[in-house]
Amino acid sequence: MLLEPFLRQCRHQPEAIALVEDGRSLTYGQLLAQSQAIAAGLQEMGVKPGLPVAIHLERGIDAAIALFGVLFAGACYVPLDLKNPPPRLAFIVNDAQAQAVLGLGAAPTWLDKGEWLDIETCPEALPLPIDIQAASLAAILYTSGSSGKPRGVALSHGAVAAFAQWAADLVGLQANDRIASSTPFFFDLSTFDLYAVLGRGASLHFLPSALNMAPARLSVWLKERAISGWYTVPSLLAFLSYKGNLAQTPLESLRFLFFAGEVFPSPALINLAANLPRTTLYNFFGPTETNVCCYWPVKRAQLAADKPIPIGLPAAACELRIHAETGELWVRGPSLASGYWGSGRLQLFPNQDGWYATGDRVSQINGEYHFHGRLGRMLKCSGYRVEPAEIEASVNAMAGVRDCAVAGVEDPATGQRPALALVLEPHLTSADIRNALALLFPPYMQPKHCIALEELPRLANGKLDYQRIHGLLNRKP
Amino acid sequence: MKKKLKNFIFTELIYHEDPASFGEDANLLEAGLDSMGIMRLIMYAEQEFDVTLPDTEIEPDNVKSLNALEKWIRHACQSQ
């Protein structure tokens, strides 16, 4: 069901352009043939349906071919964030029990070579047909885990298809649309690019990464490509709006923008709305576990610099409810993930009549939902989820660390950053810990600062007093 | 100017184990300066040095090192 709309496009318009990247493009027919060759290669390796295959490629045409190859083999894909240091990548591949890792050229040194498949070595071939059910897993997206290790959110074919169809219908996606793609495939935003866009026969244009740092060239690229839609993050849109020279580069083809992943500050959104008077803007909201569960078509007249924007209305046929005591948002519906993938198997979410408790605190005002932050300790850093418990588990495992705690500090550039309170043996300094962390975690998980204490503040019951720790870490130096 | 920029970058934008040892031509982008960091750096520099940095000149080459930043910002100051 997830692949059917795409396959229909491959039959109806095999010569139409599906993917464009720098100087390279691929038609629907070519994308199908090349991904089927990879599927056949995976089957020859003995890859079984329903189990994970990791993808060791930067976002782009090759990664898209690889990922459809995995799906045509009936397996589910685990896109790796190559910004992670090797130990974390190795953990994810081992934890997923990936049957194979797809990439280009030679295997990375941290990987057991038996699992590696160079996608360019797969000869043209057709895979054996596989019966795929709605509940079959399509993708496992690893995020930081509250249990102290990364964990995978497991998305079924049915869940991804439900979101893709809803989003495509929302903006009436058509074959003549030209959609920009800037999100790595390990973020759930990419499910729109891959399945909504290619399911409707439109073309997907990969934004060159360097343009993230050159906003005026970014706007020229959007204009010259006649991009008609884009699903991205607020921070990049704010940069484009403030510094993208949009007054001299009107984006007349751009008919819609979706944004998600972080809160869009109202002043920046007002600026964007003024710069793009004819573009329809949508705020999407939802943790990876629900994909998009709430959406708000931006009502320009309702925007005010001192008022946060709502997250809006239920999306993708989701039912929403607010827990009476905690104010927590609960979600039930077809786009929900199946559960968490860890240690090579699926752990379903706790059965609560199909409801998933998001950990997000919300309220409802005049029918629209509003977001008020997290109930738990999770941080959002540069759009990535960071669980303080994962950093704490690694630090506590280091020799010479007596105790540690992580809390978020506000950071205007990234939203939040983790900060670290440490109790160390006398021969260690916080610099030793930071140097060790640099080898374990990607940049967005590195602490903004560390403080060394004699002991950590605790509550009367002996538990860490996170409120006081948060206060200590947020004190101005 | 370089000292102010360096101080802002290493206290607000990126972590480095020893900022004092970070050279004036060393690559800031490889050290972790990303698009959000660049946006904040530009807003800081415009305010601190009372200058408007033209949108079309915001390029990796102009922000890749402390020397490149200083050269770019000084040039913008002189032409205004």
Side-chain angles (χ1 to χ4, degrees):
Chain A
M1 55 165 19
L2 177 59
L3 293 171
E4 269 160 25
F6 168 64
L7 285 168
R8 213 177 303 134
Q9 299 301 336
C10 293
R11 283 192 299 271
H12 285 173
Q13 48 162 23
E15 302 300 324
I17 296 293
L19 304 174
V20 184
E21 180 183 2
D22 286 331
R24 179 183 174 201
S25 67
L26 221 57
T27 65
Y28 275 84
Q30 289 166 327
L31 172 57
L32 179 64
Q34 294 185 25
S35 50
Q36 283 176 328
I38 292 168
L42 287 169
Q43 288 179 340
E44 200 166 304
M45 279 176 89
V47 161
K48 291 188 183 59
L51 295 173
V53 171
I55 297 186
H56 186 277
L57 291 161
E58 296 285 357
R59 78 180 169 86
I61 288 182
D62 287 323
I65 299 168
L67 162 168
F68 277 104
V70 172
L71 294 178
F72 284 125
C76 58
Y77 61 87
V78 183
L80 299 174
D81 179 356
L82 302 186
K83 283 198 297 295
N84 277 300
R88 201 158 187 263
L89 291 174
F91 174 85
I92 291 170
V93 169
N94 288 331
D95 182 67
Q97 294 183 15
Q99 312 173 83
V101 180
L102 292 175
L104 276 172
T109 48
W110 53 265
L111 182 72
D112 174 8
K113 299 212 173 15
E115 300 161 352
W116 182 254
L117 180 63
D118 177 355
I119 59 168
E120 284 197 328
T121 62
C122 299
E124 206 163 301
L126 287 178
L128 303 169
I130 303 282
D131 181 35
I132 296 171
Q133 308 290 319
S136 304
L137 294 187
I140 299 173
L141 309 180
Y142 268 83
T143 68
S144 187
S146 55
S147 60
K149 291 286 180 192
R151 67 177 169 187
V153 177
L155 303 171
S156 68
H157 280 252
V160 178
F163 163 70
Q165 191 181 332
W166 170 82
D169 286 343
L170 179 67
V171 288
L173 264 189
Q174 292 185 345
N176 61 4
D177 270 305
R178 302 161 61 88
I179 308 300
S181 176
S182 56
T183 310
F185 295 152
F186 49 82
F187 279 126
D188 55 355
L189 276 73
S190 65
T191 56
F192 172 78
D193 298 352
L194 292 164
Y195 308 106
V197 173
L198 298 180
R200 296 295 163 99
S203 59
L204 191 65
H205 300 250
F206 290 107
L207 179 74
S209 304
L211 297 193
N212 288 347
M213 298 185 183
R217 272 198 291 144
L218 169 58
S219 59
V220 168
W221 185 88
L222 292 166
K223 184 180 168 66
E224 286 179 350
R225 296 283 177 123
I227 295 299
S228 60
W230 187 18
Y231 183 12
T232 185
V233 290
S235 51
L236 193 50
L237 291 174
F239 200 16
L240 175 73
S241 179
Y242 284 129
K243 292 287 168 191
N245 198 25
L246 287 174
Q248 269 69 54
T249 325
L251 301 179
E252 279 143 359
S253 305
L254 190 64
R255 60 183 194 87
F256 71 88
L257 281 174
F258 299 148
F259 53 84
E262 55 201 356
V263 176
F264 208 140
S266 295
L269 180 57
I270 291 169
N271 187 279
L272 180 75
N275 275 322
L276 298 173
R278 284 204 296 271
T279 306
T280 313
L281 309 170
Y282 296 88
N283 182 24
F284 280 6
F285 175 87
T288 306
E289 287 86 342
T290 68
N291 208 327
V292 174
C293 64
C294 258
Y295 80 112
W296 188 61
V298 172
K299 296 172 190 157
R300 289 160 191 259
Q302 206 177 311
L303 294 175
D306 58 349
K307 250 177 39 190
I309 59 168
I311 54 173
L313 308 166
C318 281
E319 292 174 79
L320 308 181
R321 72 170 203 221
I322 303 177
H323 191 280
E325 281 152 37
T326 60
E328 185 179 21
L329 176 66
W330 288 43
V331 182
R332 179 162 74 177
S335 68
L336 235 62
S338 309
Y340 295 114
W341 187 272
S343 307
R345 63 189 189 88
L346 178 67
Q347 292 155 302
L348 299 171
F349 294 137
N351 188 0
Q352 304 171 112
D353 282 335
W355 290 97
Y356 171 77
T358 60
D360 294 316
R361 217 155 42 80
V362 301
S363 66
Q364 203 178 10
I365 305 164
N366 300 329
E368 287 176 337
Y369 287 82
H370 291 253
F371 173 65
H372 303 293
R374 292 285 303 174
L375 283 164
R377 298 173 57 214
M378 191 191 94
L379 309 176
K380 212 61 188 283
C381 311
S382 297
Y384 288 84
R385 276 158 65 154
V386 174
E387 288 288 357
E390 191 185 340
I391 302 171
E392 288 167 358
S394 292
V395 174
N396 276 325
M398 293 175 190
V401 174
R402 287 182 182 156
D403 210 350
C404 81
V406 171
V409 293
E410 298 307 311
D411 182 285
T414 58
Q416 289 175 307
R417 288 276 299 275
L420 179 60
L422 287 163
V423 182
L424 297 172
E425 304 267 353
H427 65 277
L428 278 180
T429 67
S430 53
D432 297 321
I433 304 303
R434 305 197 65 151
N435 294 341
L437 284 175
L439 301 175
L440 293 174
F441 292 119
Y444 63 86
M445 288 181 82
Q446 300 298 329
K448 184 169 185 189
H449 55 251
C450 293
I451 54 173
L453 300 170
E454 293 292 312
E455 59 183 335
L456 296 181
R458 288 189 181 272
L459 299 165
N461 63 10
K463 287 188 175 170
L464 286 174
D465 184 346
Y466 277 107
Q467 211 171 340
R468 276 174 62 201
I469 293 166
H470 183 270
L472 289 172
L473 289 168
N474 277 278
R475 198 183 289 164
K476 285 278 168 219
Chain B
M1 177 185 282
K2 235 175 324 206
K3 202 173 155 196
K4 280 185 172 169
L5 290 170
K6 185 170 185 175
N7 185 41
F8 180 79
I9 289 169
F10 288 106
T11 54
E12 294 293 327
L13 304 180
I14 51 182
Y15 166 70
H16 193 271
E17 58 186 48
D18 181 18
S21 73
F22 195 88
E24 295 180 351
D25 282 315
N27 194 312
L28 289 165
L29 306 177
E30 285 168 13
L33 185 64
D34 61 7
S35 56
M36 268 316 85
I38 293 170
M39 176 159 131
R40 276 197 69 207
L41 179 60
I42 288 164
M43 289 182 163
Y44 165 79
E46 290 189 338
Q47 199 174 12
E48 184 67 32
F49 308 117
D50 192 23
V51 61
T52 302
L53 297 165
D55 293 359
T56 51
E57 292 178 12
I58 304 169
E59 285 287 338
D61 270 354
N62 283 335
V63 299
K64 67 185 177 195
S65 69
L66 289 163
N67 278 339
L69 271 166
E70 188 192 42
K71 189 176 156 204
W72 175 43
I73 296 168
R74 284 204 189 285
H75 182 260
C77 290
Q78 280 157 14
S79 47
Q80 272 161 27

